[in-house]
Amino acid sequence: MAARLAFLARPRLVSLLISSPSLFQSNLRPFRSPLRPSLSTHSHRRRIRTARMAHTDTLGLTKPANVDPPKIAFSAKEVDLLEWKGDILAVGVTEKDMAKDENSKFENSILRKLDTHLGGLLAEASAEEDFTGKAGQSTVLRLPGIGSKRIGLIGLGQNGSSVNSYRALGEAVATAAKSAQASKVAVALASAEILSADVKLSTASAIASGTLLGIFEDNRFKSESKKLPLQSVEIIGLGNGPDVEKKLKCAGDISSGIIFGRELVNAPANVLTPAVLAEEASKIASTYSDVFTAKILDVEQCKELKMGSYLGVGAASANPPHFIHLCYKPPSGPVNAKLGLVGKGLTFDSGGYNIKTGPGCSIELMKFDMGGSAAVLGAAKALGQIKPLGVEVHFIVAACENMISGTGMRPGDIVTASNGKTIEVNNTDAEGRLTLADALVYTCNQGVEKIVDLATLTGACVVALGPTIAGVFTPSDELAKEVLGASEVSGEKFWRMPLEESYWESMKSGVADMVNTGGRQGGAITAALFLKQFVDEKVQWMHIDMAGPVWNEKKRAATGFGVSTLVEWVLKNGSSST
């Protein structure tokens, strides 16, 4: 990947890391689908294990610990807050909710009721803590007089109406539960009565998702890890019954996919090789074999498909490339839409002969250069649990490493993609687009109508949009509307960028059809224009450059970005789930 990008992953399939037997448990069935046309499942898995043992078992002697996932049971109830019994009663409040009258009494009816029962201590303590309900503020008080051992006030900002504000509420609840070693928690809103029925459903979902993701800690590579006691979360005042339970289950399914994506990106490159990434994909098909099949292509099979662009990138590595193709088909009913999700899968990117050097090159983070594939496989895991009807989805990853050796691709080499187009490689560190070229051609050949590819492709996009916003490139207004609409539901941040065709002039070669990089200016745009050359004109296509939001620099960990938006987009293209 060009400039500042990197990626990680992990060698075993994440079981549903945060689940409850009642809401989030899935039925596991035997793996019945062939991994590839010419090899049996047994022999293929043996070859993957052999390749894995040959390299990773001698490289650092690092293996992830089998950390038992915490299990959290979510439920939605309508009960009196004063009567609820447990460890923490967390109340989400806006700045308006914290307003008081001339007698220093809360104007909000819920807070006034709690404070009256507590003899005014809630108002007094919140004032002493200087708690005003601003976003990011929280205070947990141990006040006697109600069923809960502690009461927490968590700020939602001025109005607290966004998906992200309610997800942040869930994350704050998780933080408070960790600090207090709480096992039973309730969450309520001070002004839930102003929300519509639909908004209450989405709010409950966001709170559950935030709590699940907030409680998750990736301790697989630490010598010690502490057990988290949180067992149940009751969401009060946002409705109850089958609709909200279905929403909570879906939140758990999507969160498990996000966590899986985070673990893949977090895992170091000496653990997550292309073979291991392929094994993880195969495990998804095995776990959800009622709706998934898997095909893993080796180097020889990729040669037969003339994937010279992809194979050129992986030629220098001792870990051979593995081309991953998962196919989801609904358990019943007709297929009304065929979609393709393509993820960049560079398990490590050294830059090749244009090696990453100097300050800001982030070579030590280049394990995260498979963040696009993590988003795609995380979405696959979630959809295997949700099982939407009416939609067929192909998940494609051209997995490999970009390394340096005597067999490696050199600057100035010309590679030929599987659609016959030739590429002069003027920068071996612009390798992601070379792998995606053959992946896009392959995906178009599956008969899909729409393709979304995700890649940590350019540092230029990070410069343009910063660390939390992904760039969106597409010639299709219809597809842009669909995906950006899905992102509003997920809360992930995207911004549509121009596909300026005149910039293609900088991508022309004197000896081949094109070069793989243009000048410094508009680097994210020219990268997208390069990918466009490998997409069938009849297929709606979108490229997402997620180089910034794939990684949280403050937490020094993966974000799982892209998973929830992809799942929402697939669900909107399908019909109801089973």
Side-chain angles (χ1 to χ4, degrees):
M1 169 204 95
R4 141 213 197 262
L5 298 173
F7 302 81
L8 318 126
R10 162 206 85 131
R12 54 181 178 83
L13 177 68
V14 187
S15 58
L16 183 49
L17 285 186
I18 301 183
S19 62
S20 85
S22 59
L23 292 178
F24 304 141
Q25 195 171 57
S26 59
N27 294 320
L28 305 185
R29 302 188 183 183
F31 184 45
R32 298 194 302 265
S33 57
L35 289 176
R36 60 180 210 161
S38 58
L39 285 178
S40 69
T41 300
H42 177 73
S43 62
H44 179 73
R45 282 184 169 166
R46 185 173 63 247
R47 286 178 62 169
I48 287 180
R49 285 195 297 268
T50 301
R52 180 174 163 185
M53 290 174 63
H55 188 55
T56 60
D57 281 8
T58 60
L59 198 62
L61 301 179
T62 300
K63 294 181 180 179
N66 291 316
V67 179
D68 291 333
K71 292 180 173 60
I72 302 176
F74 281 83
S75 59
K77 295 186 177 181
E78 295 288 341
V79 298
D80 191 321
L81 296 184
L82 294 176
E83 297 176 0
W84 183 84
K85 289 180 171 57
D87 297 310
I88 300 176
L89 171 62
V91 183
V93 297
T94 64
E95 293 178 46
K96 182 179 179 181
D97 293 331
M98 293 300 296
K100 297 171 185 173
D101 61 19
E102 63 277 5
N103 297 317
S104 298
K105 302 293 185 182
F106 287 112
E107 294 178 0
N108 177 272
S109 60
I110 295 292
L111 295 180
R112 181 188 286 265
K113 181 178 179 180
L114 287 169
D115 194 41
T116 299
H117 197 79
L118 292 168
L121 289 176
L122 185 61
E124 182 181 336
S126 61
E128 289 180 357
E129 294 286 332
D130 197 26
F131 180 86
T132 60
K134 291 182 180 179
Q137 278 190 323
S138 64
T139 182
V140 179
L141 308 167
R142 191 166 189 128
L143 299 176
I146 60 174
S148 176
K149 295 178 183 177
R150 295 175 177 84
I151 183 168
L153 297 179
I154 298 174
L156 297 173
Q158 289 188 347
N159 52 33
S161 59
S162 70
V163 172
N164 285 330
S165 64
Y166 294 127
R167 187 169 289 128
L169 168 59
E171 291 176 357
V173 168
T175 300
K178 289 178 186 178
S179 177
Q181 290 291 289
S183 63
K184 185 178 181 181
V185 172
V187 187
L189 299 181
S191 298
E193 74 280 354
I194 67 174
L195 304 179
S196 67
D198 286 344
V199 173
K200 284 183 178 180
L201 286 176
S202 61
T203 299
S205 174
I207 292 171
S209 178
T211 307
L212 289 165
L213 298 175
I215 208 72
F216 167 72
E217 293 181 358
D218 192 352
N219 293 320
R220 294 167 300 145
F221 299 100
K222 294 182 179 180
S223 57
E224 296 181 5
S225 62
K226 58 185 178 182
K227 188 175 182 180
L228 299 173
L230 185 60
Q231 296 178 357
S232 69
V233 175
E234 297 178 4
I235 299 175
I236 299 174
L238 295 177
N240 55 10
D243 287 344
V244 67
E245 287 184 7
K246 184 178 179 181
K247 268 290 187 181
L248 291 176
K249 179 191 180 304
C250 190
D253 294 337
I254 295 174
S255 295
S256 74
I258 294 172
I259 288 168
F260 179 49
R262 286 181 178 182
E263 286 196 315
L264 289 175
V265 175
N266 283 339
N270 64 325
V271 170
L272 188 87
T273 62
V276 172
L277 188 60
E279 186 177 8
E280 294 295 338
S282 298
K283 287 179 182 177
I284 293 174
S286 175
T287 303
Y288 310 107
S289 60
D290 56 334
V291 290
F292 269 107
T293 56
K295 183 187 294 184
I296 310 296
L297 305 180
D298 62 18
V299 171
E300 291 304 315
Q301 290 171 308
C302 291
K303 285 181 180 178
E304 291 173 8
L305 294 176
K306 302 185 185 304
M307 296 183 177
S309 184
Y310 161 50
L311 293 176
V313 175
S317 177
N319 292 305
H322 285 71
F323 192 93
I324 301 165
H325 177 193
L326 296 183
C327 180
Y328 170 90
K329 291 187 178 181
S332 62
V335 171
N336 302 316
K338 292 186 178 182
L339 311 177
L341 297 178
V342 180
K344 178 183 172 184
L346 267 293
T347 59
F348 187 76
D349 176 24
S350 70
Y353 278 105
N354 292 106
I355 191 169
K356 296 176 184 293
T357 58
C361 73
S362 298
I363 192 171
E364 75 282 0
L365 285 178
M366 283 304 112
K367 64 180 185 177
F368 77 45
D369 213 12
M370 41 66 62
S373 68
V376 166
L377 295 180
K381 184 179 190 297
L383 291 167
Q385 298 169 79
I386 298 171
K387 305 185 196 308
L389 301 177
V391 62
E392 176 179 311
V393 191
H394 296 264
F395 305 82
I396 310 298
V397 175
C400 64
E401 289 184 327
N402 185 27
M403 302 296 281
I404 302 172
S405 77
T407 61
M409 182 173 64
R410 296 150 294 212
D413 283 359
I414 295 176
V415 296
T416 304
S418 48
N419 65 348
K421 293 188 177 182
T422 58
I423 306 157
E424 180 185 1
V425 180
N426 60 2
N427 188 338
T428 61
D429 193 24
E431 83 302 328
R433 64 197 70 182
L434 297 175
T435 67
L436 289 170
D438 282 325
L440 289 168
V441 173
Y442 180 94
T443 309
C444 288
N445 290 337
Q446 306 310 307
V448 300
E449 299 144 3
K450 304 172 187 178
I451 294 176
V452 173
D453 79 67
L454 299 94
T456 49
L457 207 63
T458 67
C461 201
V462 183
V463 172
L465 298 178
T468 64
I469 304 172
V472 169
F473 301 82
T474 178
S476 171
D477 293 339
E478 179 184 347
L479 186 55
K481 184 178 180 180
E482 287 183 10
V483 175
L484 293 177
S487 73
E488 291 177 6
V489 177
S490 73
E492 294 180 322
K493 296 179 181 180
F494 295 82
W495 191 263
R496 190 176 181 184
M497 304 283 278
L499 269 175
E500 178 54 56
E501 292 289 344
S502 66
Y503 290 4
W504 184 246
E505 285 297 316
S506 68
M507 299 293 287
K508 292 183 178 179
S509 166
V511 292
D513 293 330
M514 66 195 81
V515 292
N516 68 326
T517 63
R520 287 180 57 84
Q521 296 179 332
I525 298 174
T526 54
L529 289 171
F530 177 91
L531 297 179
K532 187 171 179 282
Q533 311 307 308
F534 303 92
V535 180
D536 191 311
E537 292 182 356
K538 298 177 183 177
V539 177
Q540 293 185 51
W541 160 76
M542 172 183 286
H543 163 59
I544 297 175
D545 193 329
M546 52 183 285
V550 72
W551 189 256
N552 185 317
E553 189 64 39
K554 183 178 180 180
K555 295 181 178 179
R556 299 181 182 180
T559 62
F561 184 89
V563 173
S564 56
T565 297
L566 292 182
V567 172
E568 293 290 347
W569 178 62
V570 170
L571 294 179
K572 288 183 181 298
N573 274 271
S575 52
S576 61
S577 58
T578 56

